Amino acid sequence: MAEGQNISLYYKGSLNPSTMEARELIQVLSAFTRLTTKANRAYHGSTARTSVRIERVQPGSLDLQWIHEVAANAQTAFAALPALSFGIKDVAGLIKAWLDLLKFLKGQPPQKVQNVTNGTALQLENVSGQTTIVNGNVYNTFILNGIGTDAEKLELPAKHGAEKLELKSRGHRIGSYSKSDLSNFKPIKPKDKPIESEIEAILEVVAPVLEGDGMWRFKYGRTSITAKLTDEDYRQRVIDGEESFSHGDRLHARLKTIQENLGDKISTKHFVTKVLQRK
């Protein structure tokens, strides 16, 4: 039995959808479907079986509606440790948090990322010197899923007269983005210096490395990552046989992520700096 949630994009202004090429409308539909799917997987974790279907495309101001579904018995990845959820209650809330980040960052990578506490909160500084505090899990899933690459397609209706985009959940507006906000929906890539963050996270062990300095394989939500274990005390316990693992074991750990620009490619590296608890 699957449960669904209605999520919609509502473009307002002097938009004339008939001036949009079919290709542009398909790009908007495809981009938001990808965002919805990524949010569904990030929120519900690796055991979720998800599907997305387009429920209605309404002419006029352009009202695009999606229904996303998830298996009713799926467990949220963020809820694995309640303190990590930081107010994110559903998939629509995660999408809003991602779009709000794009709005805040103004199309540029953060100038500074700092830990606020020993938990998952991060303080970001944007290109204008403004600061905001965000959930580290929201930020990491935002970076790892390349949200700006999909979201930049949401600006297309603004080129045909749309002045505002409203994000709705179950018919209620939960986010509003002006034409200038939409122009800043861009891929966020490191430039002159790496983008670094360190948060508490729940990591599902896929393949531990018991010898040497090899990279462990984990699932972070539904994202597969490799990470180097730099917690020397924990590494020694593994080497001494005090810790044993099986597929699916979870670690509550501090996860450090570093993104940097290497020529034409973006390099993303992960480090488990401290194992706090076996889950």
PDB file of all heavy atoms in Angstrom, residues 81 84 118-120 137 198-203 218 220 229 231 234 250-256 271-279:
ATOM      1  N   LEU A  81      17.643   9.489  13.391  1.00  0.00           N
ATOM      2  CA  LEU A  81      18.088  10.171  14.601  1.00  0.00           C
ATOM      3  C   LEU A  81      17.298  11.476  14.643  1.00  0.00           C
ATOM      4  O   LEU A  81      17.543  12.366  13.834  1.00  0.00           O
ATOM      5  CB  LEU A  81      19.587  10.459  14.562  1.00  0.00           C
ATOM      6  CG  LEU A  81      20.174  11.063  15.837  1.00  0.00           C
ATOM      7  CD1 LEU A  81      20.121  10.044  16.981  1.00  0.00           C
ATOM      8  CD2 LEU A  81      21.590  11.527  15.617  1.00  0.00           C
ATOM      9  N   LEU A  84      18.480  15.031  13.801  1.00  0.00           N
ATOM     10  CA  LEU A  84      18.991  15.373  12.478  1.00  0.00           C
ATOM     11  C   LEU A  84      17.911  15.956  11.570  1.00  0.00           C
ATOM     12  O   LEU A  84      18.217  16.512  10.514  1.00  0.00           O
ATOM     13  CB  LEU A  84      19.595  14.132  11.800  1.00  0.00           C
ATOM     14  CG  LEU A  84      20.750  13.447  12.523  1.00  0.00           C
ATOM     15  CD1 LEU A  84      21.325  12.351  11.647  1.00  0.00           C
ATOM     16  CD2 LEU A  84      21.829  14.429  12.906  1.00  0.00           C
ATOM     17  N   ASN A 118      27.898  21.094  17.968  1.00  0.00           N
ATOM     18  CA  ASN A 118      28.478  19.778  17.737  1.00  0.00           C
ATOM     19  C   ASN A 118      27.517  18.852  17.001  1.00  0.00           C
ATOM     20  O   ASN A 118      27.817  17.692  16.790  1.00  0.00           O
ATOM     21  CB  ASN A 118      28.880  19.132  19.070  1.00  0.00           C
ATOM     22  CG  ASN A 118      30.075  19.838  19.684  1.00  0.00           C
ATOM     23  OD1 ASN A 118      30.925  20.338  18.960  1.00  0.00           O
ATOM     24  ND2 ASN A 118      30.115  19.889  21.007  1.00  0.00           N
ATOM     25  N   GLY A 119      26.345  19.385  16.627  1.00  0.00           N
ATOM     26  CA  GLY A 119      25.364  18.567  15.927  1.00  0.00           C
ATOM     27  C   GLY A 119      25.416  18.769  14.436  1.00  0.00           C
ATOM     28  O   GLY A 119      26.482  18.806  13.832  1.00  0.00           O
ATOM     29  N   THR A 120      24.243  18.951  13.848  1.00  0.00           N
ATOM     30  CA  THR A 120      24.163  18.969  12.396  1.00  0.00           C
ATOM     31  C   THR A 120      23.948  20.357  11.802  1.00  0.00           C
ATOM     32  O   THR A 120      23.864  20.506  10.600  1.00  0.00           O
ATOM     33  CB  THR A 120      23.032  18.036  11.922  1.00  0.00           C
ATOM     34  OG1 THR A 120      23.116  17.887  10.515  1.00  0.00           O
ATOM     35  CG2 THR A 120      21.662  18.583  12.299  1.00  0.00           C
ATOM     36  N   ASN A 137      22.214  17.902   6.982  1.00  0.00           N
ATOM     37  CA  ASN A 137      21.734  16.858   6.079  1.00  0.00           C
ATOM     38  C   ASN A 137      21.079  17.454   4.845  1.00  0.00           C
ATOM     39  O   ASN A 137      21.250  16.962   3.732  1.00  0.00           O
ATOM     40  CB  ASN A 137      20.734  15.948   6.806  1.00  0.00           C
ATOM     41  CG  ASN A 137      21.420  14.921   7.675  1.00  0.00           C
ATOM     42  OD1 ASN A 137      22.187  14.112   7.190  1.00  0.00           O
ATOM     43  ND2 ASN A 137      21.162  14.981   8.961  1.00  0.00           N
ATOM     44  N   GLU A 198      30.999  19.686   7.739  1.00  0.00           N
ATOM     45  CA  GLU A 198      31.094  18.513   8.613  1.00  0.00           C
ATOM     46  C   GLU A 198      29.862  18.473   9.496  1.00  0.00           C
ATOM     47  O   GLU A 198      29.566  19.443  10.199  1.00  0.00           O
ATOM     48  CB  GLU A 198      32.364  18.551   9.459  1.00  0.00           C
ATOM     49  CG  GLU A 198      32.557  17.287  10.285  1.00  0.00           C
ATOM     50  CD  GLU A 198      33.924  17.226  10.966  1.00  0.00           C
ATOM     51  OE1 GLU A 198      34.860  17.896  10.495  1.00  0.00           O
ATOM     52  OE2 GLU A 198      34.052  16.498  11.974  1.00  0.00           O
ATOM     53  N   ILE A 199      29.136  17.359   9.434  1.00  0.00           N
ATOM     54  CA  ILE A 199      27.881  17.222  10.165  1.00  0.00           C
ATOM     55  C   ILE A 199      27.784  15.845  10.806  1.00  0.00           C
ATOM     56  O   ILE A 199      28.576  14.949  10.512  1.00  0.00           O
ATOM     57  CB  ILE A 199      26.673  17.404   9.223  1.00  0.00           C
ATOM     58  CG1 ILE A 199      26.655  16.271   8.171  1.00  0.00           C
ATOM     59  CG2 ILE A 199      26.681  18.765   8.552  1.00  0.00           C
ATOM     60  CD1 ILE A 199      25.357  16.152   7.410  1.00  0.00           C
ATOM     61  N   GLU A 200      26.787  15.685  11.685  1.00  0.00           N
ATOM     62  CA  GLU A 200      26.442  14.360  12.173  1.00  0.00           C
ATOM     63  C   GLU A 200      25.511  13.706  11.167  1.00  0.00           C
ATOM     64  O   GLU A 200      24.613  14.354  10.623  1.00  0.00           O
ATOM     65  CB  GLU A 200      25.763  14.452  13.541  1.00  0.00           C
ATOM     66  CG  GLU A 200      26.722  14.842  14.660  1.00  0.00           C
ATOM     67  CD  GLU A 200      26.069  14.810  16.030  1.00  0.00           C
ATOM     68  OE1 GLU A 200      25.004  14.169  16.158  1.00  0.00           O
ATOM     69  OE2 GLU A 200      26.616  15.426  16.957  1.00  0.00           O
ATOM     70  N   ALA A 201      25.722  12.438  10.890  1.00  0.00           N
ATOM     71  CA  ALA A 201      24.927  11.742   9.884  1.00  0.00           C
ATOM     72  C   ALA A 201      24.765  10.278  10.271  1.00  0.00           C
ATOM     73  O   ALA A 201      25.541   9.735  11.058  1.00  0.00           O
ATOM     74  CB  ALA A 201      25.595  11.845   8.512  1.00  0.00           C
ATOM     75  N   ILE A 202      23.734   9.660   9.714  1.00  0.00           N
ATOM     76  CA  ILE A 202      23.536   8.226   9.842  1.00  0.00           C
ATOM     77  C   ILE A 202      24.028   7.580   8.553  1.00  0.00           C
ATOM     78  O   ILE A 202      23.530   7.881   7.470  1.00  0.00           O
ATOM     79  CB  ILE A 202      22.058   7.865  10.074  1.00  0.00           C
ATOM     80  CG1 ILE A 202      21.540   8.508  11.366  1.00  0.00           C
ATOM     81  CG2 ILE A 202      21.879   6.354  10.107  1.00  0.00           C
ATOM     82  CD1 ILE A 202      22.219   7.993  12.628  1.00  0.00           C
ATOM     83  N   LEU A 203      25.023   6.696   8.663  1.00  0.00           N
ATOM     84  CA  LEU A 203      25.626   6.043   7.504  1.00  0.00           C
ATOM     85  C   LEU A 203      25.382   4.540   7.596  1.00  0.00           C
ATOM     86  O   LEU A 203      25.681   3.917   8.620  1.00  0.00           O
ATOM     87  CB  LEU A 203      27.123   6.316   7.452  1.00  0.00           C
ATOM     88  CG  LEU A 203      27.549   7.788   7.405  1.00  0.00           C
ATOM     89  CD1 LEU A 203      29.062   7.902   7.505  1.00  0.00           C
ATOM     90  CD2 LEU A 203      27.046   8.459   6.132  1.00  0.00           C
ATOM     91  N   PHE A 218      29.422   3.324   1.932  1.00  0.00           N
ATOM     92  CA  PHE A 218      28.243   3.559   2.760  1.00  0.00           C
ATOM     93  C   PHE A 218      27.063   3.951   1.882  1.00  0.00           C
ATOM     94  O   PHE A 218      27.224   4.349   0.724  1.00  0.00           O
ATOM     95  CB  PHE A 218      28.478   4.720   3.742  1.00  0.00           C
ATOM     96  CG  PHE A 218      29.586   4.524   4.731  1.00  0.00           C
ATOM     97  CD1 PHE A 218      30.837   5.071   4.503  1.00  0.00           C
ATOM     98  CD2 PHE A 218      29.366   3.823   5.909  1.00  0.00           C
ATOM     99  CE1 PHE A 218      31.858   4.919   5.425  1.00  0.00           C
ATOM    100  CE2 PHE A 218      30.380   3.663   6.838  1.00  0.00           C
ATOM    101  CZ  PHE A 218      31.631   4.213   6.603  1.00  0.00           C
ATOM    102  N   TYR A 220      24.211   6.900   2.282  1.00  0.00           N
ATOM    103  CA  TYR A 220      23.831   8.096   3.024  1.00  0.00           C
ATOM    104  C   TYR A 220      22.466   8.498   2.484  1.00  0.00           C
ATOM    105  O   TYR A 220      22.355   9.027   1.395  1.00  0.00           O
ATOM    106  CB  TYR A 220      24.876   9.194   2.786  1.00  0.00           C
ATOM    107  CG  TYR A 220      24.526  10.549   3.377  1.00  0.00           C
ATOM    108  CD1 TYR A 220      24.334  10.696   4.735  1.00  0.00           C
ATOM    109  CD2 TYR A 220      24.413  11.666   2.559  1.00  0.00           C
ATOM    110  CE1 TYR A 220      24.038  11.920   5.271  1.00  0.00           C
ATOM    111  CE2 TYR A 220      24.120  12.901   3.088  1.00  0.00           C
ATOM    112  CZ  TYR A 220      23.928  13.028   4.449  1.00  0.00           C
ATOM    113  OH  TYR A 220      23.619  14.257   4.987  1.00  0.00           O
ATOM    114  N   LEU A 229      37.866   6.444   6.690  1.00  0.00           N
ATOM    115  CA  LEU A 229      37.673   6.483   8.134  1.00  0.00           C
ATOM    116  C   LEU A 229      38.926   7.085   8.768  1.00  0.00           C
ATOM    117  O   LEU A 229      39.996   6.467   8.760  1.00  0.00           O
ATOM    118  CB  LEU A 229      37.422   5.077   8.674  1.00  0.00           C
ATOM    119  CG  LEU A 229      37.187   4.962  10.187  1.00  0.00           C
ATOM    120  CD1 LEU A 229      35.907   5.672  10.597  1.00  0.00           C
ATOM    121  CD2 LEU A 229      37.135   3.488  10.607  1.00  0.00           C
ATOM    122  N   ASP A 231      38.887   8.375  12.003  1.00  0.00           N
ATOM    123  CA  ASP A 231      38.791   8.247  13.451  1.00  0.00           C
ATOM    124  C   ASP A 231      39.771   7.151  13.875  1.00  0.00           C
ATOM    125  O   ASP A 231      39.467   5.961  13.805  1.00  0.00           O
ATOM    126  CB  ASP A 231      37.354   7.891  13.840  1.00  0.00           C
ATOM    127  CG  ASP A 231      37.147   7.774  15.346  1.00  0.00           C
ATOM    128  OD1 ASP A 231      38.148   7.640  16.081  1.00  0.00           O
ATOM    129  OD2 ASP A 231      35.984   7.811  15.783  1.00  0.00           O
ATOM    130  N   TYR A 234      38.689   4.544  16.554  1.00  0.00           N
ATOM    131  CA  TYR A 234      37.745   3.551  16.056  1.00  0.00           C
ATOM    132  C   TYR A 234      38.430   2.591  15.090  1.00  0.00           C
ATOM    133  O   TYR A 234      38.154   1.385  15.096  1.00  0.00           O
ATOM    134  CB  TYR A 234      36.559   4.243  15.379  1.00  0.00           C
ATOM    135  CG  TYR A 234      35.374   3.328  15.208  1.00  0.00           C
ATOM    136  CD1 TYR A 234      34.525   3.053  16.275  1.00  0.00           C
ATOM    137  CD2 TYR A 234      35.109   2.722  13.987  1.00  0.00           C
ATOM    138  CE1 TYR A 234      33.438   2.197  16.134  1.00  0.00           C
ATOM    139  CE2 TYR A 234      34.026   1.875  13.824  1.00  0.00           C
ATOM    140  CZ  TYR A 234      33.201   1.611  14.910  1.00  0.00           C
ATOM    141  OH  TYR A 234      32.134   0.755  14.767  1.00  0.00           O
ATOM    142  N   ARG A 250      24.462   0.356  10.822  1.00  0.00           N
ATOM    143  CA  ARG A 250      24.496   1.807  10.676  1.00  0.00           C
ATOM    144  C   ARG A 250      25.391   2.446  11.735  1.00  0.00           C
ATOM    145  O   ARG A 250      25.455   1.979  12.872  1.00  0.00           O
ATOM    146  CB  ARG A 250      23.090   2.398  10.763  1.00  0.00           C
ATOM    147  CG  ARG A 250      22.189   1.956   9.613  1.00  0.00           C
ATOM    148  CD  ARG A 250      20.876   2.700   9.635  1.00  0.00           C
ATOM    149  NE  ARG A 250      20.125   2.442  10.864  1.00  0.00           N
ATOM    150  CZ  ARG A 250      18.998   3.088  11.194  1.00  0.00           C
ATOM    151  NH1 ARG A 250      18.514   4.011  10.390  1.00  0.00           N
ATOM    152  NH2 ARG A 250      18.372   2.798  12.316  1.00  0.00           N
ATOM    153  N   LEU A 251      26.036   3.520  11.315  1.00  0.00           N
ATOM    154  CA  LEU A 251      26.883   4.298  12.212  1.00  0.00           C
ATOM    155  C   LEU A 251      26.327   5.704  12.341  1.00  0.00           C
ATOM    156  O   LEU A 251      25.989   6.340  11.349  1.00  0.00           O
ATOM    157  CB  LEU A 251      28.318   4.378  11.674  1.00  0.00           C
ATOM    158  CG  LEU A 251      29.098   3.082  11.469  1.00  0.00           C
ATOM    159  CD1 LEU A 251      30.485   3.394  10.917  1.00  0.00           C
ATOM    160  CD2 LEU A 251      29.207   2.307  12.769  1.00  0.00           C
ATOM    161  N   HIS A 252      26.238   6.161  13.581  1.00  0.00           N
ATOM    162  CA  HIS A 252      25.979   7.583  13.830  1.00  0.00           C
ATOM    163  C   HIS A 252      27.370   8.214  13.939  1.00  0.00           C
ATOM    164  O   HIS A 252      28.142   7.892  14.842  1.00  0.00           O
ATOM    165  CB  HIS A 252      25.186   7.743  15.135  1.00  0.00           C
ATOM    166  CG  HIS A 252      25.048   9.156  15.592  1.00  0.00           C
ATOM    167  ND1 HIS A 252      24.774   9.478  16.910  1.00  0.00           N
ATOM    168  CD2 HIS A 252      25.161  10.334  14.937  1.00  0.00           C
ATOM    169  CE1 HIS A 252      24.710  10.785  17.031  1.00  0.00           C
ATOM    170  NE2 HIS A 252      24.952  11.329  15.849  1.00  0.00           N
ATOM    171  N   ALA A 253      27.704   9.050  12.961  1.00  0.00           N
ATOM    172  CA  ALA A 253      29.089   9.512  12.839  1.00  0.00           C
ATOM    173  C   ALA A 253      29.155  10.961  12.383  1.00  0.00           C
ATOM    174  O   ALA A 253      28.151  11.541  11.937  1.00  0.00           O
ATOM    175  CB  ALA A 253      29.845   8.630  11.839  1.00  0.00           C
ATOM    176  N   ARG A 254      30.331  11.534  12.498  1.00  0.00           N
ATOM    177  CA  ARG A 254      30.585  12.856  11.932  1.00  0.00           C
ATOM    178  C   ARG A 254      31.137  12.655  10.524  1.00  0.00           C
ATOM    179  O   ARG A 254      32.147  11.971  10.338  1.00  0.00           O
ATOM    180  CB  ARG A 254      31.549  13.663  12.790  1.00  0.00           C
ATOM    181  CG  ARG A 254      30.954  14.012  14.155  1.00  0.00           C
ATOM    182  CD  ARG A 254      31.649  15.204  14.805  1.00  0.00           C
ATOM    183  NE  ARG A 254      31.547  16.405  13.984  1.00  0.00           N
ATOM    184  CZ  ARG A 254      30.466  17.196  13.926  1.00  0.00           C
ATOM    185  NH1 ARG A 254      29.390  16.888  14.618  1.00  0.00           N
ATOM    186  NH2 ARG A 254      30.462  18.271  13.179  1.00  0.00           N
ATOM    187  N   LEU A 255      30.456  13.245   9.566  1.00  0.00           N
ATOM    188  CA  LEU A 255      30.802  13.093   8.158  1.00  0.00           C
ATOM    189  C   LEU A 255      31.302  14.425   7.614  1.00  0.00           C
ATOM    190  O   LEU A 255      30.585  15.417   7.618  1.00  0.00           O
ATOM    191  CB  LEU A 255      29.582  12.633   7.364  1.00  0.00           C
ATOM    192  CG  LEU A 255      29.758  12.510   5.844  1.00  0.00           C
ATOM    193  CD1 LEU A 255      30.732  11.388   5.512  1.00  0.00           C
ATOM    194  CD2 LEU A 255      28.403  12.275   5.174  1.00  0.00           C
ATOM    195  N   LYS A 256      32.537  14.421   7.131  1.00  0.00           N
ATOM    196  CA  LYS A 256      33.118  15.619   6.518  1.00  0.00           C
ATOM    197  C   LYS A 256      33.088  15.461   5.003  1.00  0.00           C
ATOM    198  O   LYS A 256      33.472  14.415   4.473  1.00  0.00           O
ATOM    199  CB  LYS A 256      34.563  15.826   6.987  1.00  0.00           C
ATOM    200  CG  LYS A 256      35.221  17.098   6.453  1.00  0.00           C
ATOM    201  CD  LYS A 256      36.599  17.279   7.077  1.00  0.00           C
ATOM    202  CE  LYS A 256      37.235  18.587   6.649  1.00  0.00           C
ATOM    203  NZ  LYS A 256      38.549  18.791   7.296  1.00  0.00           N
ATOM    204  N   PHE A 271      34.901  11.970   4.497  1.00  0.00           N
ATOM    205  CA  PHE A 271      35.727  11.452   5.588  1.00  0.00           C
ATOM    206  C   PHE A 271      34.848  11.239   6.813  1.00  0.00           C
ATOM    207  O   PHE A 271      34.076  12.126   7.193  1.00  0.00           O
ATOM    208  CB  PHE A 271      36.847  12.432   5.933  1.00  0.00           C
ATOM    209  CG  PHE A 271      37.736  12.792   4.781  1.00  0.00           C
ATOM    210  CD1 PHE A 271      37.396  13.850   3.927  1.00  0.00           C
ATOM    211  CD2 PHE A 271      38.900  12.083   4.521  1.00  0.00           C
ATOM    212  CE1 PHE A 271      38.199  14.178   2.848  1.00  0.00           C
ATOM    213  CE2 PHE A 271      39.703  12.416   3.452  1.00  0.00           C
ATOM    214  CZ  PHE A 271      39.354  13.472   2.609  1.00  0.00           C
ATOM    215  N   VAL A 272      34.944  10.062   7.404  1.00  0.00           N
ATOM    216  CA  VAL A 272      34.270   9.809   8.687  1.00  0.00           C
ATOM    217  C   VAL A 272      35.269  10.172   9.768  1.00  0.00           C
ATOM    218  O   VAL A 272      36.209   9.425  10.040  1.00  0.00           O
ATOM    219  CB  VAL A 272      33.817   8.345   8.810  1.00  0.00           C
ATOM    220  CG1 VAL A 272      33.205   8.082  10.183  1.00  0.00           C
ATOM    221  CG2 VAL A 272      32.829   8.001   7.717  1.00  0.00           C
ATOM    222  N   THR A 273      35.089  11.345  10.377  1.00  0.00           N
ATOM    223  CA  THR A 273      36.088  11.860  11.314  1.00  0.00           C
ATOM    224  C   THR A 273      35.876  11.350  12.726  1.00  0.00           C
ATOM    225  O   THR A 273      36.805  11.330  13.534  1.00  0.00           O
ATOM    226  CB  THR A 273      36.066  13.405  11.326  1.00  0.00           C
ATOM    227  OG1 THR A 273      34.773  13.858  11.734  1.00  0.00           O
ATOM    228  CG2 THR A 273      36.397  13.955   9.943  1.00  0.00           C
ATOM    229  N   LYS A 274      34.645  10.930  13.053  1.00  0.00           N
ATOM    230  CA  LYS A 274      34.371  10.421  14.387  1.00  0.00           C
ATOM    231  C   LYS A 274      33.152   9.519  14.360  1.00  0.00           C
ATOM    232  O   LYS A 274      32.088   9.901  13.863  1.00  0.00           O
ATOM    233  CB  LYS A 274      34.116  11.589  15.374  1.00  0.00           C
ATOM    234  CG  LYS A 274      33.893  11.157  16.811  1.00  0.00           C
ATOM    235  CD  LYS A 274      35.176  10.606  17.429  1.00  0.00           C
ATOM    236  CE  LYS A 274      34.986  10.284  18.908  1.00  0.00           C
ATOM    237  NZ  LYS A 274      36.222   9.685  19.482  1.00  0.00           N
ATOM    238  N   VAL A 275      33.321   8.294  14.850  1.00  0.00           N
ATOM    239  CA  VAL A 275      32.173   7.396  15.015  1.00  0.00           C
ATOM    240  C   VAL A 275      31.619   7.609  16.410  1.00  0.00           C
ATOM    241  O   VAL A 275      32.307   7.378  17.404  1.00  0.00           O
ATOM    242  CB  VAL A 275      32.575   5.922  14.800  1.00  0.00           C
ATOM    243  CG1 VAL A 275      31.389   5.013  15.065  1.00  0.00           C
ATOM    244  CG2 VAL A 275      33.104   5.713  13.384  1.00  0.00           C
ATOM    245  N   LEU A 276      30.382   8.052  16.478  1.00  0.00           N
ATOM    246  CA  LEU A 276      29.778   8.398  17.770  1.00  0.00           C
ATOM    247  C   LEU A 276      29.043   7.229  18.386  1.00  0.00           C
ATOM    248  O   LEU A 276      29.018   7.079  19.611  1.00  0.00           O
ATOM    249  CB  LEU A 276      28.822   9.588  17.588  1.00  0.00           C
ATOM    250  CG  LEU A 276      29.455  10.856  16.998  1.00  0.00           C
ATOM    251  CD1 LEU A 276      28.391  11.883  16.667  1.00  0.00           C
ATOM    252  CD2 LEU A 276      30.474  11.435  17.964  1.00  0.00           C
ATOM    253  N   GLN A 277      28.422   6.388  17.534  1.00  0.00           N
ATOM    254  CA  GLN A 277      27.590   5.313  18.063  1.00  0.00           C
ATOM    255  C   GLN A 277      27.239   4.321  16.963  1.00  0.00           C
ATOM    256  O   GLN A 277      27.073   4.713  15.805  1.00  0.00           O
ATOM    257  CB  GLN A 277      26.288   5.910  18.648  1.00  0.00           C
ATOM    258  CG  GLN A 277      25.377   4.920  19.324  1.00  0.00           C
ATOM    259  CD  GLN A 277      24.089   5.594  19.817  1.00  0.00           C
ATOM    260  OE1 GLN A 277      23.863   6.762  19.544  1.00  0.00           O
ATOM    261  NE2 GLN A 277      23.286   4.847  20.520  1.00  0.00           N
ATOM    262  N   ARG A 278      27.175   3.037  17.307  1.00  0.00           N
ATOM    263  CA  ARG A 278      26.595   2.038  16.412  1.00  0.00           C
ATOM    264  C   ARG A 278      25.092   2.105  16.571  1.00  0.00           C
ATOM    265  O   ARG A 278      24.574   2.176  17.680  1.00  0.00           O
ATOM    266  CB  ARG A 278      27.099   0.641  16.756  1.00  0.00           C
ATOM    267  CG  ARG A 278      28.529   0.365  16.374  1.00  0.00           C
ATOM    268  CD  ARG A 278      28.669   0.017  14.906  1.00  0.00           C
ATOM    269  NE  ARG A 278      28.018  -1.247  14.588  1.00  0.00           N
ATOM    270  CZ  ARG A 278      28.577  -2.452  14.740  1.00  0.00           C
ATOM    271  NH1 ARG A 278      29.809  -2.550  15.227  1.00  0.00           N
ATOM    272  NH2 ARG A 278      27.934  -3.547  14.412  1.00  0.00           N
ATOM    273  N   LYS A 279      24.354   2.047  15.457  1.00  0.00           N
ATOM    274  CA  LYS A 279      22.892   2.122  15.508  1.00  0.00           C
ATOM    275  C   LYS A 279      22.279   0.743  15.261  1.00  0.00           C
ATOM    276  O   LYS A 279      22.800  -0.015  14.465  1.00  0.00           O
ATOM    277  CB  LYS A 279      22.370   3.118  14.487  1.00  0.00           C
ATOM    278  CG  LYS A 279      22.850   4.547  14.736  1.00  0.00           C
ATOM    279  CD  LYS A 279      22.237   5.140  15.975  1.00  0.00           C
ATOM    280  CE  LYS A 279      20.773   5.420  15.794  1.00  0.00           C
ATOM    281  NZ  LYS A 279      20.151   6.047  16.992  1.00  0.00           N
TER     282      LYS A 279
END
